[in-house]
Amino acid sequence: MAGELVLSSFLQVAFDRLASPEVVNFFRSGKLKDDLLRKLKIKLLSINAVINDAEKKQMTDPNVKAWLVEVKDAVYESEDILDEIETEASKTKSEAEFKSTTSKVRNFFVNPFERTMESRVQEVLNNLEYLAIRVELLELKKGSNAGDGVGGHSSQRLPSSALVDESSIYGRDDDKEKIIKLLLSDDTESGSHPSVITIVGMGGLGKTTLAQLVYNDKRMDDQFGLKSWVCVSEEFDVKRVTRATLEAITLSNDDAQELNTLQLKLKRN
């Protein structure tokens, strides 16, 4: 339709920029605070979660249309910032060949680009936060791009495994260490009652990835003699989960049909 704003593709461009090796390495190197990149991704994901619904409602709701215009400006500003960071990262890489002079200067002075860019990123974050708060007021619903299925109906959650490529993950070390500290703490000991540590957040934030990082940490192997990874569907079935846990531990299929039998076998293992 004429006048309709379609931001889905523009948001994808922003996400591609966020994943750019140049941008990632620039933040990792300490030139900008690493958590700024993570926060920017989170804010854009929160907007992306409702963008399909907003694009449908904009022709009948002027407030939604105005919101989308503001989102467009914020996304464009984000892309501009990330483009400039990519350019600066390439420039810095070239200058690294002349370390004898450049490195000494950077040790004593703060790069004006870095100081200005940090302020601009924070400004965009504040703007996105304001836009995210208005989502509830506009009654925008999560759509298929947020993993909920078309029209807001929930879709079957894809199963996961404990395997993870740690080389492609950044910015989760602090969260990982906090969870591991809880798991290794004496406070988690509660007799016969197992402790539960929950990881909550909207879809796409990397909750499963964080759990995988913790699960595969060597300290978990040293601390716990037995561990298993089980994916629980939205329609919780205690017998299915018990069988999956048993099979994860024994690495073999079990044909037992009774829950009691499965639980007894699990208890013996």
Side-chain angles (χ1 to χ4, degrees), residues 160-170 172-173 176 206-218 227 229:
S160 64
S161 77
L163 300 178
V164 62
D165 179 9
E166 297 189 28
S167 65
S168 62
I169 300 169
Y170 65 94
R172 305 314 300 267
D173 290 342
K176 171 187 169 182
K207 300 185 296 296
T208 299
T209 299
L210 179 56
Q212 290 168 328
L213 290 173
V214 173
Y215 184 89
N216 287 286
D217 191 277
K218 186 179 183 302
K227 65 178 187 177
W229 179 279

Side-chain angles (χ1 to χ4, degrees), residues 89-108:
S90 298
K91 176 183 175 183
T92 302
K93 185 177 180 180
S94 298
E95 292 177 347
E97 299 175 0
F98 308 94
K99 284 185 177 181
S100 57
T101 301
T102 306
S103 60
K104 292 180 181 178
V105 173
R106 293 179 62 83
N107 283 336
F108 292 97

Side-chain angles (χ1 to χ4, degrees), residues 8 89 103 109 125 132 138 140 167 178 180 186 196:
S8 305
S103 60
F109 297 95
L125 284 172
L138 294 171
L140 298 176
S167 65
K178 288 177 182 178
I180 289 178
D186 292 338
V196 176

Side-chain angles (χ1 to χ4, degrees), residues 131-148:
L131 291 168
I133 291 174
R134 289 164 59 191
V135 165
E136 185 174 352
L137 297 175
L138 294 171
E139 298 182 346
L140 298 176
K141 307 298 181 184
K142 292 181 180 180
S144 58
N145 54 338
D148 284 341

Side-chain angles (χ1 to χ4, degrees), residues 41-205:
K41 182 178 180 180
I42 290 173
K43 297 305 179 186
L44 288 173
L45 280 170
S46 68
I47 298 297
N48 190 50
V50 298
I51 206 69
N52 280 353
D53 191 41
E55 288 175 345
K56 293 175 184 176
K57 292 179 177 178
Q58 63 177 319
M59 298 308 295
T60 57
D61 190 334
N63 292 322
V64 174
K65 180 65 177 291
W67 180 82
L68 278 171
V69 171
E70 292 183 61
V71 170
K72 180 200 72 173
D73 292 338
V75 172
Y76 281 176
E77 178 62 16
S78 300
E79 290 179 11
D80 287 343
I81 289 174
L82 295 172
D83 281 340
E84 289 182 39
I85 289 176
E86 277 189 312
T87 301
E88 178 67 13
S90 298
K91 176 183 175 183
T92 302
K93 185 177 180 180
S94 298
E95 292 177 347
E97 299 175 0
F98 308 94
K99 284 185 177 181
S100 57
T101 301
T102 306
S103 60
K104 292 180 181 178
V105 173
R106 293 179 62 83
N107 283 336
F108 292 97
F109 297 95
V110 177
N111 190 325
F113 173 85
E114 296 165 16
R115 183 170 55 244
T116 302
M117 195 55 62
E118 184 167 321
S119 176
R120 288 178 62 190
V121 173
Q122 188 60 59
E123 183 177 350
V124 169
L125 284 172
N126 293 340
N127 193 17
L128 289 171
E129 175 66 25
Y130 173 65
L131 291 168
I133 291 174
R134 289 164 59 191
V135 165
E136 185 174 352
L137 297 175
L138 294 171
E139 298 182 346
L140 298 176
K141 307 298 181 184
K142 292 181 180 180
S144 58
N145 54 338
D148 284 341
V150 178
H153 298 293
S154 103
S155 60
Q156 183 67 32
R157 181 184 302 170
L158 293 176
S160 64
S161 77
L163 300 178
V164 62
D165 179 9
E166 297 189 28
S167 65
S168 62
I169 300 169
Y170 65 94
R172 305 314 300 267
D173 290 342
D174 289 344
D175 293 331
K176 171 187 169 182
E177 290 303 318
K178 288 177 182 178
I179 294 176
I180 289 178
K181 184 177 180 180
L182 286 172
L183 289 170
L184 300 181
S185 171
D186 292 338
D187 293 338
T188 60
E189 296 181 359
S190 53
S192 60
H193 300 287
S195 297
V196 176
I197 297 175
T198 59
I199 304 174
V200 298
M202 62 176 287
L205 294 186

